[in-house]
Amino acid sequence: MESGFARRLRTKRTVRLRLTLLQGALFLVSGAGTIGITYLLASARFPERLTQGPADASGRGITGFGPLPPQNPGQAQQRTDDLHTFLTESGLALAIMVVLSLGLGWLVAGRILRPLRTMTASTHRIFEDNLHERLPVAGPRDELSELGDTINGLLARLEAAFEAQRLFVANASHELRTPITVERAILEVALADPGATVGSLRQACAEVLDSSRQQERLIDALLTLARSQRGLGQLEQFDLAAVARGVVAAAERRRGPGTPRLRAHLDPAAVAGDPRLVERMVVNLVDNALRYNVPGGTVDVSVETADGRAFLSVLNTGPVTPAEQIDRLLQPFQRLKAGRGDASQEGFGLGLSIVAAVAKAHGADLRASPGQYGGLEIEVGFPAVKPPRATAPARDRGAAQGAR
C-alpha cells in the first residue's frame, strides 16, 4: 500500500523536492564525470604493453611503450582487472554519495524554504478583516526577506484601499440618505397638515424637487468619480485652452453681483485624453474657486505650455487653507470646517477628489498649495503629447515615384 509521503511526492512536486532532485542530479553528473576523467587518466598511465628497446651503453635494454613480449601476457589482464575494479568501486561509492546528497539536499532545501513556508501560512490567515497583520520577516537581508517586505507593502496598500472604500461607502450612504430623509420629512409634514392648501402642497413639491436635484447632482458626481478612477479608454487629442475657455465663459454667464471676478490667460496647449473628463475637472476647479472665496475676490485661470507639457492653473482668493489639510481635501467627501465659505453653498466634498482622479487617469501631476494671499492654488501638469509621425502627401509620393 502506498504511503502518504510517497503519495504526496507523486501528486505534488514541491519546490523542496525539485531542489533536492536537482542537487542529486548535479552531484551524479559531476561524480560520473570525475570517475570518467580518472578512468581515462589511469588508462593513459598504464599502457597495455611494454617493449624492450635496444641496449644502452651499459648493456641494459631501454623500456618504452610498445607491444608487450609474449612472455608477459599477465600484465594486460592485470591492467584490465584493475580498471574494472576501479569502475565498480567508484560506481558503488558514487551511488552511496548520491543517496547521501539527496538526503542532505532535502534537509538543506527545507531549511532554506522554511521562511517561505512561514510567509505562506501567514498569508493564508490574512483576510479583509485583518489586513493590519504583517508577515514575519527575520534573518539576513536576502531575496526571501525582500519578498516578505514586498508582500507587507502590498498588504499596507490593500489595507489603505479597503479603509478608503469603507469610508467612501459610509460617506456616500450618508450623503444619499440625507436628501431622502429631507424629502420624506417634507411629504410627511404636508400630508399631516389638515389645513393644507394647494399653495402649501405646491411649495412642498417644489422643496422635494429641489432636494431630488441635489441628489441627482450627487449621483452624477459619484458616477464621474467612478468613471475617472476606472481609467481611460481611447485617447483623444484636444486643446486644453479651448476647454477652459468654454468653462470660464459658462461661469461668467452664471455670475451674479458681488461674486468673484474671473480672469483668464489661456494659451493653446495640446492634451491627449478624455475631453469630457478634463472639462469636468476644470468645472470643478472653477466652481470650487468661486464657492470658497470672499466678496469681491478673484479667480485666475491660466493654461500654458512648458517643455512640451500643458499646465492648467486655478488660483483664487479667500480664507487661508492650512497646508496640512490639503491632502485630506483631495479625498472623497472631505471638507474644511466652517469659515472657508458660505455654509449654504457647501458642496458634497467630491469636487477636488474628482479633480485628483481625473488627473491620475491622465497621468498628470497635481500640485495643490495655499495661495500667497489666501485661498488655494491648484496646478495640473499633463504629459507631453507625442507628435504624430509625418507622412508625405499622396501627390508628393506619386511625384517621387514618377521621378524614380
Side-chain angles (χ1 to χ4, degrees), residues 9 13-28 98 101-102 105-106 109:
L9 293 184
R13 293 187 177 182
T14 62
V15 176
R16 184 179 184 181
L17 177 60
R18 291 198 295 269
L19 289 177
T20 302
L21 295 178
L22 178 61
Q23 178 176 338
L26 291 176
F27 188 88
L28 176 62
V98 167
S101 68
L102 289 175
W106 180 262

Side-chain angles (χ1 to χ4, degrees), residues 43-166:
S43 300
R45 291 180 62 85
F46 297 99
E48 292 187 1
R49 292 188 163 98
L50 298 174
T51 182
Q52 188 73 24
D56 56 5
S58 61
R60 295 178 297 180
I62 300 176
T63 301
F65 296 103
L68 189 69
Q71 62 269 24
N72 295 322
Q75 291 187 0
Q77 184 63 37
Q78 180 67 31
R79 171 186 172 277
T80 302
D81 294 341
D82 290 343
L83 291 178
H84 179 72
T85 302
F86 168 75
L87 286 178
T88 302
E89 295 178 351
S90 299
L92 180 61
L94 178 61
I96 296 174
M97 292 305 299
V98 167
V99 174
L100 291 178
S101 68
L102 289 175
L104 292 176
W106 180 262
L107 295 177
V108 172
R111 179 67 179 85
I112 294 176
L113 296 175
R114 185 181 302 168
L116 187 60
R117 292 197 300 271
T118 302
M119 287 189 289
T120 302
S122 300
T123 305
H124 281 305
R125 293 192 299 268
I126 297 177
F127 295 93
E128 66 274 6
D129 56 347
N130 61 340
L131 285 173
H132 61 278
E133 296 184 8
R134 296 294 180 266
L135 303 184
V137 180
R141 300 298 302 174
D142 52 12
E143 289 82 356
L144 292 178
S145 63
E146 291 181 2
L147 175 62
D149 292 338
T150 302
I151 295 178
N152 284 335
L154 175 62
L155 291 175
R157 293 191 294 272
L158 285 175
E159 182 184 11
F162 270 79
E163 185 61 29
Q165 183 186 32
R166 294 190 190 101

Side-chain angles (χ1 to χ4, degrees), residues 167-177 218 222 333:
L167 182 61
F168 178 84
V169 171
N171 289 329
S173 301
H174 173 74
E175 295 290 343
L176 288 171
R177 186 172 60 248
L218 174 59
L222 290 174
F333 300 106

Side-chain angles (χ1 to χ4, degrees), residues 24 33 67 117 127 143 145 154 169 185 199 203-204 228 230 233 284 316 335 343 347 367 389:
R117 292 197 300 271
F127 295 93
E143 289 82 356
S145 63
L154 175 62
V169 171
Q203 177 65 26
S228 58
R230 188 175 63 244
N284 286 0
N316 71 324
R335 310 176 183 88
R367 185 182 63 85
R389 289 181 295 180

Side-chain angles (χ1 to χ4, degrees), residues 240-287:
L240 179 60
V243 174
R245 189 175 297 110
V247 173
V248 171
E252 282 283 3
R253 290 192 295 268
R254 296 193 306 267
R255 277 187 65 223
T259 57
R261 291 186 300 111
L262 279 165
R263 299 184 300 193
H265 178 76
L266 308 175
D267 295 332
V271 170
D274 189 330
R276 290 168 296 278
L277 285 179
V278 173
E279 181 182 13
R280 184 57 185 266
M281 179 182 67
V282 180
V283 168
N284 286 0
L285 286 174
V286 173
D287 287 348

